[in-house]
Amino acid sequence: MTDPHGCAFDGCCPRRNTGVRLIDPRMPELARCLTLFRYVQAVTGGPVARIDQAGSYAVPTLRGEPFAVRPGTITLRLDAERVSTAVVAREEGSVLVRLLDGEGRTAHEGRLLSDGDRLLAGLARTVEAGAVPGEASRARATPDEEASRAPEASDGEAGSPARGTGTPVGGSAPVWEYGDQLAQLDAVLADGGVARRAAFGRYRGEHREVEAGLVSAVLDHVCSVGLPIGVAVFAPAAMQACAGRVHVTDRTVGGRVFAALADSSVEIDLADVRACHLVRSTAAHGPTSALELDDADGRCVAVLTQFGIVGEQVHRAWEDLTASLPDA
């Protein structure tokens, strides 16, 4: 007989004021869980940069896999080695799905906005009783799971997996030193880009430092002329990206910049951006520029660029704009 005071959907029943339930953080099980939800408010970032988008998840990708930003879906890229824990939590009437790294820092948070999604959260596969949270993410996937991880290539990919994630001949140099746009993004995802930035003098592509304050002017310009762009925001072990036209921008006296981009909102605290680097790397249309924003600890927190195939005119307009930016 069912306990009248219990609930099969632990963590989402209104009778439970609080509760946290560990779910399986391994891929592809985690991907299956996230893509169940139809209407989520997805947030990635920290105090310096943040992206917020409502919608449904595309299948998350991992470092080393193809990558595409598709309109109308929440695009996540994860470092599976560092996503240690995933939980469903109920807080003050809301149901949240959180991904945490090994240090307990939030990599990504999804707030479930519909009653149906809150019920589905109760069906997510839980971590075995007594398991250490990190053990699930370190467990080896089955061959069938490995085969299901990589999505099929598409015209919207940010980079080629062959160029972006291959091992250098002889293993003499990290892949980002000669890699494409996707290799640069994955290097940032690995550790915030700290190791890459420390050795950036060896990067074989074009790179220079520009004034961080110009980011606000860049966003204002692309908004006024209708030039679509892509934005990626990083948190420990996670990257969330969006692409499209900037509908509106705003800036506070304290230096916080806001942009409504496609169906996302992006917030950047320029006062806490220590440096901005313009980096060119190979992408779908050839060499493509990216504005990389670093925080006070030298970690890249956000990137403004063009993802995938955007059209020659858009690519040319973006390259003309970034080429016009003066050095710092």
Side-chain angles (χ1 to χ4, degrees):
M1 182 179 294
T2 303
D3 180 356
H5 301 293
C7 178
F9 301 107
D10 186 18
C12 64
C13 176
R15 287 191 295 270
R16 299 177 185 270
N17 295 324
T18 61
V20 174
R21 187 164 59 88
L22 291 173
I23 61 175
D24 196 336
R26 292 173 296 181
M27 295 287 259
E29 190 59 41
L30 179 59
R32 292 193 190 105
C33 174
L34 294 179
T35 54
L36 278 175
F37 307 131
R38 295 294 88 196
Y39 196 44
V40 182
Q41 182 181 359
V43 178
T44 300
V48 182
R50 166 188 169 109
I51 184 171
D52 190 325
Q53 180 180 5
S56 57
Y57 287 100
V59 177
T61 60
L62 303 178
R63 290 181 62 224
E65 294 180 350
F67 173 69
V69 180
R70 295 184 175 88
T73 58
I74 299 164
T75 301
L76 279 185
R77 191 166 181 84
L78 304 173
D79 185 345
E81 303 262 334
R82 297 171 61 216
V83 176
S84 174
T85 309
V87 301
V88 172
R90 183 174 180 82
E91 297 180 358
E92 299 179 352
S94 296
V95 178
L96 310 169
V97 176
R98 284 201 184 102
L99 310 183
L100 310 173
D101 73 354
E103 299 178 28
R105 299 174 297 182
T106 299
H108 174 75
E109 179 179 284
R111 183 180 299 271
L112 308 186
L113 299 178
S114 74
D115 289 339
D117 285 344
R118 287 190 280 270
L119 290 175
L120 283 172
L123 301 178
R125 181 178 297 178
T126 57
V127 176
E128 294 80 0
V132 177
E135 287 178 353
S137 62
R138 290 193 294 268
R140 292 182 61 84
T142 66
D144 288 342
E145 288 175 336
E146 291 287 357
S148 66
R149 282 181 175 176
E152 302 226 347
S154 75
D155 289 343
E157 287 172 11
S160 159
R163 292 193 306 270
T165 60
T167 301
V169 177
S172 59
V175 66
W176 59 264
E177 288 195 18
Y178 65 92
D180 62 6
Q181 182 189 67
L182 188 53
Q184 311 309 315
L185 294 174
D186 277 351
V188 174
L189 183 56
D191 66 347
V194 173
R196 169 176 171 264
R197 193 71 80 210
F200 215 51
R202 300 200 306 264
Y203 177 55
R204 302 181 186 183
E206 178 186 343
H207 59 97
R208 59 190 177 92
E209 189 170 347
V210 299
E211 290 290 344
L214 293 173
V215 170
S216 180
V218 168
L219 290 171
D220 287 344
H221 176 76
V222 298
C223 178
S224 65
V225 301
L227 178 66
I229 62 169
V231 177
V233 174
F234 294 85
M239 177 188 85
Q240 185 175 335
C242 64
R245 291 193 175 187
V246 177
H247 307 300
V248 64
T249 63
D250 194 11
R251 182 171 180 173
T252 68
V253 174
R256 299 190 81 87
V257 174
F258 300 87
L261 175 68
D263 50 3
S264 305
S265 63
V266 175
E267 178 183 350
I268 301 171
D269 188 351
L270 288 180
D272 287 335
V273 172
R274 186 184 71 177
C276 178
H277 297 264
L278 193 151
V279 181
R280 300 190 83 205
S281 54
T282 303
H285 294 279
T288 300
S289 297
L291 292 172
E292 301 181 355
L293 307 182
D294 294 352
D295 66 10
D297 295 323
R299 298 181 182 275
C300 180
V301 294
V303 171
L304 280 65
T305 188
Q306 298 290 342
F307 295 122
I309 296 177
V310 295
E312 289 294 342
Q313 288 185 333
V314 170
H315 181 262
R316 189 180 306 113
W318 172 251
E319 290 306 305
D320 289 345
L321 171 60
T322 54
S324 71
L325 300 177
D327 292 345

